[in-house]
Amino acid sequence: MKPSKIKNAVLAVTAIGILGGVVSNAVATTPEEDLQNFREYFYKKFPGVPLSEYANGVYGIDQKSRETWEAIEEFPPYEIAIENGEELFNTPFANGKTYASCFKNGGIGIRQNFPFYSKKDKQVKTLEQVINECRTKNGEKPLKWKKGKIAAISAYMAYTSRGKAMHVKTPTTPDEIKWYERGRKHFYAKRGQLNMSCANCHQDNAGNHIRADILSPALGHVTHFPVYRAKWGSLGTLHRRYGGCNKQVRSLPLAAQSDEYKALEYFHSYMSNGIEVNGPGSRK
Amino acid sequence: MRRFTKIVSTTSIIAVAITGLGLASTVNAAGTGKSDIEKGKEIAFSRKKGNCLACHNIKGGKLAGNIAPPLVAMQQRFPDKAKLRAQIFDSTVANPNSIMPPFGRHKIISDKEIDLVAEFIYQL
């Protein structure tokens, strides 16, 4: 079956669950078309904001909060975590090998290529997943997923990739499309007792205030992860944030690195293709 | 705080008189009379209950969001109170992609609480 055919079939099933999202769900679109539509939606909503600014979340579209943020970025709260991450990254495992042995280019400047679909393992793989696989392969215990050491290593790896444009390979094979559609569906499907989709907040209402918070556009969301959040008082991964946003709508958060979140990250990251990595970032 | 309650109840008594809803006041444990409109307001403003201010500007509320239309002149927009209640009960009937939570359908607040919120909103 051609990928586009499969996508049609998947869409027919999911259309029932996705009620009238903004990007035309009725007509089957290719991932490339989705990406084009996604960008154009935000270009229209925020005229004059260039693609590169979407790397800055809410601060790319709101001048007032941007000033506070820029002041914080002068003494970045994530600096120690980067140093910490670098040290962890370079410390050999008990068997003498290092993380560098598990990545292309020794793990330097490669953040933009994640997540990717692994043909060998028939699944999408995130950066954090490969970090932990590297550990277990080398006889070490896996790290906890959402914060702490794994976030520090991921932050260091993002830091070495700053300035490189997000470059998630376009899903084309049936299995890639399946993962992509699962993530897309999660993004547009309403969930939780409050019945809201990611798109309701980060697409339909990007730039609007929900109480005193300004909602960031989903375009560019992933570029600055992991992120140091004042609210957390520490660094957290993208999946930590997903859990938080699921909880806000009174939906049970899923496990970090579950297939569902990996699929979401795959879609979410593909939508940010072309925007420079600027992680780690700092947020409220 | 006590003072505040007093002021609120005075104004809402006036409101009741003007709109002629003639809602029965009930007496709470503290012995202060509270109209249904006041109770509805508390539910609407409570972050744990209606949290309507997250999205709607409502007179008397602070830090309101701007996702949704301000709730003003409600009787002009919803002459039929039942329709107003229905919008609060399940916003997705009118707009399937509405970001507004379906308060009744998803049992976010009880039927009785929806009645009270509708009373409060109706007189805005």
Side-chain angles (χ1 to χ4, degrees):
Chain A
M1 234 203 278
K2 271 176 43 195
S4 61
K5 271 252 175 68
I6 288 172
K7 216 181 132 170
N8 264 317
V10 173
L11 272 179
V13 182
T14 57
I16 304 159
I18 311 164
L19 291 162
V22 179
V23 173
S24 53
N25 286 310
V27 199
T29 45
T30 64
E32 278 117 326
E33 285 165 349
D34 292 348
L35 172 55
Q36 203 52 38
N37 293 339
F38 203 69
R39 281 187 192 166
E40 260 151 33
Y41 177 88
F42 290 106
Y43 290 166
K44 230 193 209 155
K45 193 165 209 141
F46 305 107
V49 175
L51 183 62
S52 58
E53 269 302 329
Y54 287 93
N56 298 324
V58 113
Y59 313 117
I61 56 164
D62 183 63
Q63 189 54 33
K64 218 167 116 213
S65 44
R66 186 187 186 102
E67 282 158 23
T68 324
W69 170 68
E70 279 176 346
I72 291 168
E73 285 276 334
E74 300 221 355
F75 302 97
Y78 48 73
E79 211 150 52
I80 299 168
I82 297 176
E83 282 167 26
N84 207 342
E86 180 172 13
E87 198 180 314
L88 288 165
F89 185 85
N90 291 321
T91 307
F93 301 127
N95 68 3
K97 289 209 171 161
T98 61
Y99 288 105
S101 69
C102 299
F103 294 95
K104 283 191 186 139
N105 199 37
I108 304 302
I110 57 164
R111 175 68 186 92
Q112 68 282 2
N113 303 324
F114 288 82
F116 70 98
Y117 179 83
S118 159
K119 279 208 178 81
K120 190 170 133 259
D121 294 332
K122 295 198 175 56
Q123 56 167 295
V124 161
K125 292 202 174 187
T126 64
L127 179 60
E128 286 80 13
Q129 178 181 1
V130 181
I131 291 172
N132 258 344
E133 284 178 358
C134 183
R135 294 181 59 84
T136 47
K137 200 164 75 185
N138 286 294
E140 304 284 330
K141 280 204 188 114
L143 300 169
K144 287 209 173 138
W145 289 125
K146 290 190 287 193
K147 53 185 173 184
K149 289 182 181 166
I150 206 156
I153 296 168
S154 172
Y156 168 68
M157 293 180 76
Y159 188 68
T160 67
S161 315
R162 279 191 175 185
K164 308 227 172 191
M166 282 300 294
H167 187 69
V168 174
K169 224 184 110 246
T170 302
T172 50
T173 67
D175 206 32
E176 285 169 351
I177 298 276
K178 204 181 88 199
W179 278 85
Y180 170 86
E181 282 301 335
R182 183 172 179 180
R184 183 176 190 269
K185 183 179 166 207
H186 190 105
F187 187 81
Y188 288 104
K190 289 184 159 287
R191 56 181 10 88
Q193 191 186 30
L194 300 190
N195 202 49
M196 295 180 195
S197 65
C198 313
N200 278 154
C201 285
H202 296 293
Q203 184 165 350
D204 309 349
N205 283 292
N208 284 342
H209 284 79
I210 189 158
R211 282 274 180 181
D213 285 325
I214 303 174
L215 290 163
S216 55
L219 180 61
H221 251 171
V222 303
T223 61
H224 62 280
F225 275 83
V227 76
Y228 180 95
R229 273 190 88 193
K231 188 183 157 201
W232 292 337
S234 69
L235 215 55
T237 61
L238 186 58
H239 292 201
R240 185 178 183 191
R241 181 79 234 200
Y242 286 168
C245 278
N246 277 169
K247 271 192 255 176
Q248 282 193 65
V249 299
R250 301 187 193 159
S251 170
L252 277 182
L254 301 168
Q257 303 300 327
S258 56
D259 283 355
E260 186 77 5
Y261 278 178
K262 285 185 353 181
L264 176 60
E265 179 174 346
Y266 188 45
F267 165 79
H268 207 184
S269 302
Y270 181 67
M271 287 299 115
S272 292
N273 262 2
I275 307 176
E276 287 180 4
V277 170
N278 60 347
S282 62
R283 293 290 185 270
K284 277 210 297 196
Chain B
M1 204 54 223
R2 264 205 104 74
R3 239 217 152 79
F4 178 67
T5 327
K6 259 217 172 109
I7 294 165
V8 173
S9 54
T10 323
T11 34
S12 57
I13 284 163
I14 295 165
V16 171
I18 291 170
T19 54
L21 293 172
L23 295 166
S25 281
T26 45
V27 177
N28 69 15
T32 339
K34 262 196 194 165
S35 71
D36 283 358
I37 288 173
E38 284 174 320
K39 287 191 217 157
K41 181 177 181 178
E42 268 173 31
I43 298 159
F45 283 14
S46 154
R47 284 176 194 258
K48 293 226 163 76
K49 297 274 187 179
N51 200 15
C52 315
L53 290 166
C55 303
H56 295 276
N57 205 323
I58 303 171
K59 196 166 159 247
K62 289 201 189 97
L63 286 179
N66 63 356
I67 283 177
L71 298 178
V72 289
M74 291 317 291
Q75 284 171 41
Q76 275 164 38
R77 288 151 80 179
F78 288 87
D80 180 358
K81 203 195 283 176
K83 290 213 171 111
L84 174 65
R85 188 189 188 277
Q87 165 69 24
I88 302 168
F89 187 86
D90 187 359
S91 51
T92 64
V93 172
N95 170 12
N97 190 39
S98 179
I99 190 177
M100 177 163 155
F103 288 97
R105 181 166 62 85
H106 276 198
K107 302 197 185 329
I108 297 165
I109 53 179
S110 70
D111 279 10
K112 174 72 188 150
E113 287 171 324
I114 290 179
D115 290 338
L116 294 168
V117 170
E119 292 299 344
F120 165 62
I121 302 292
Y122 190 66
Q123 52 82 52
L124 288 170

